[in-house]
Amino acid sequence: MNAALRAVVRASIKRGAEVIGFDHGYEGIINNEGRPLTSTSVGGIIDRGGTILRTARSKRFMTLEGRQLAVENLHANGCEGLVVIGGDGSLTGALKLHEEFDFPVTGVPGSIDNDIAGTDFSIGFDTAVNTAVEAIDRVRDTAYSHERVFVIEVMGRRNGFIALEAGIAGGAEAVIIPEEEHNMKLICESLREAFQKGKRSSIIIVAEGAGKAQEISDDIHAQTGFETRAVVLGHMQRGGSPTQADRVLALRLGAMAANRLLSGYRGEMAGVEGTKVVNHAISYVLSTEREIDRERLWLVSAMS
Ligand code: F6P
């Protein structure tokens, strides 16, 4: 998010605009927490996780009165456009400002969940996946040495993009995600088969929205008798220095969103498709479901 913020600020300044940053997201606009951002104020943040603007979930912004107040504050600060960096909720708010008040907005997809349509990747996903893979690799050392089954829970309330990607890269035996029914009997059967072939340790990845690592671990132990352990990675996936891929993505999308806004485009989100930066209407992005890649699911079962 910091890399994206830096890109928005510097691209806008390059185009002759002045930039105000609002702390605490929409809540901060309602509370009038704006401050001028210069090229220098976004220096030295490209490698920092989180956001220097901090963030908040704003209940007030969900009401029309709250949004009215926010728009009044934007006008009072001389803001002629707003770049919103965030996930589903942030983009929904941006669309409301666009549709209800005709306020010029563009969006930048920022979510470790990678569940935003109109872009192959959202900012944060690559870093989160790499963090999860590193954790899986470390856990595997104990799994192998102690001949155990580990169930590792990763983030993903509504989808399994992190689980699937980290599971493939981490060599997991099974990946349990909200998009796909799972059958514990079949999973236990395949663990037993693997054991018979000489495999003494296994790793199973579960997306938090598909089940609890501890319960799955207990279930596997009850059904197979194997020694099992559960690990929950939690918020460690949300922080840390961003990967090269995330930094470049953030710079490209942040700069594109600022450029499009300054060129008069409204209600769009910048995204990346293949190697190209593209722009889609936020209304399209929010009404489209990002599907899980079936080929990746097959890969997990084929490699286990
Ligand atoms: O939406 C991103 C996400 O990281 C989810 O995967 C996760 O469930 C959630 O945020 C955690 O939110 P909070 O920090 O509010 O508990």
Side-chain angles (χ1 to χ4, degrees):
M1 286 207 133
N2 283 326
L5 175 68
R6 175 177 174 271
V8 169
V9 171
R10 292 196 175 166
S12 304
I13 290 171
K14 184 104 184 150
R15 295 275 302 258
E18 284 174 38
V19 186
I20 294 176
F22 285 89
D23 284 321
H24 302 118
Y26 292 125
E27 190 66 12
I29 304 181
I30 293 173
N31 292 334
N32 209 6
E33 293 181 71
R35 53 181 162 114
L37 291 179
T38 63
S39 211
T40 326
S41 25
V42 291
I45 63 169
I46 196 167
D47 59 339
R48 277 176 62 184
T51 159
I52 59 161
L53 289 179
R54 286 161 293 168
T55 187
R57 299 196 195 283
S58 177
K59 286 223 166 70
R60 282 192 294 167
F61 196 78
M62 289 177 190
T63 67
L64 186 61
E65 301 76 60
R67 293 193 290 276
Q68 177 78 50
L69 201 51
V71 170
E72 281 166 21
N73 284 340
L74 286 168
H75 285 305
N77 281 280
C79 295
E80 294 170 81
L82 180 70
V83 179
V84 174
I85 310 169
D88 212 39
S90 309
L91 293 170
T92 302
L95 186 61
K96 291 225 182 285
L97 292 184
H98 172 65
E99 288 180 347
E100 293 171 355
F101 300 94
D102 200 22
F103 195 83
V105 293
T106 55
V108 178
S111 168
I112 63 163
D113 291 344
N114 209 28
D115 58 347
I116 303 168
T119 185
D120 294 345
F121 296 103
S122 46
I123 299 164
F125 176 67
D126 189 69
T127 306
V129 168
N130 276 289
T131 304
V133 171
E134 195 189 323
I136 295 167
D137 290 347
R138 286 170 190 269
V139 166
R140 187 184 298 100
D141 291 345
T142 302
Y144 177 84
S145 307
H146 287 258
E147 304 192 332
R148 290 175 182 162
V149 175
F150 269 85
V151 181
I152 304 179
E153 185 180 315
V154 298
M155 275 187 164
R157 258 180 305 191
R158 289 183 299 265
N159 63 68
F161 291 104
I162 296 178
L164 198 49
E165 207 68 12
I168 291 171
E173 270 59 47
V175 175
I176 301 173
I177 57 174
E179 293 91 333
E180 189 81 358
E181 287 279 317
H182 70 279
N183 182 328
M184 283 310 297
K185 272 208 164 59
L186 286 181
I187 290 175
C188 290
E189 223 166 81
S190 72
L191 289 176
R192 264 192 238 102
E193 271 171 29
F195 184 84
Q196 261 144 30
K197 285 186 208 148
K199 197 166 193 176
R200 291 291 174 267
S201 65
S202 292
I203 287 177
I204 291 170
I205 307 295
V206 57
E208 61 179 334
K212 295 270 152 277
Q214 190 61 58
E215 286 168 18
I216 294 168
S217 163
D218 292 345
D219 192 1
I220 293 172
H221 176 69
Q223 288 198 42
T224 64
F226 294 148
E227 194 179 347
T228 60
R229 291 286 189 278
V231 176
V232 179
L233 298 187
H235 285 80
M236 64 145 61
Q237 295 156 95
R238 274 253 198 106
S241 188
T243 59
Q244 163 272 336
D246 256 335
R247 293 179 199 198
V248 174
L249 179 72
L251 294 186
R252 294 177 80 198
L253 300 191
M256 172 61 97
N259 272 323
R260 292 287 280 192
L261 191 60
L262 289 165
S263 299
Y265 294 92
R266 273 101 184 78
E268 289 181 344
M269 184 196 81
V272 68
E273 284 173 353
T275 57
K276 298 264 174 298
V277 177
V278 296
N279 297 280
H280 288 291
I282 299 176
S283 54
Y284 159 79
V285 167
L286 292 174
S287 58
T288 308
E289 198 67 38
R290 197 160 181 278
E291 302 266 326
I292 211 87
D293 179 2
R294 300 274 139 194
E295 188 210 334
R296 280 172 155 75
L297 273 177
W298 181 84
L299 268 179
V300 174
S301 64
M303 297 299 128
S304 67

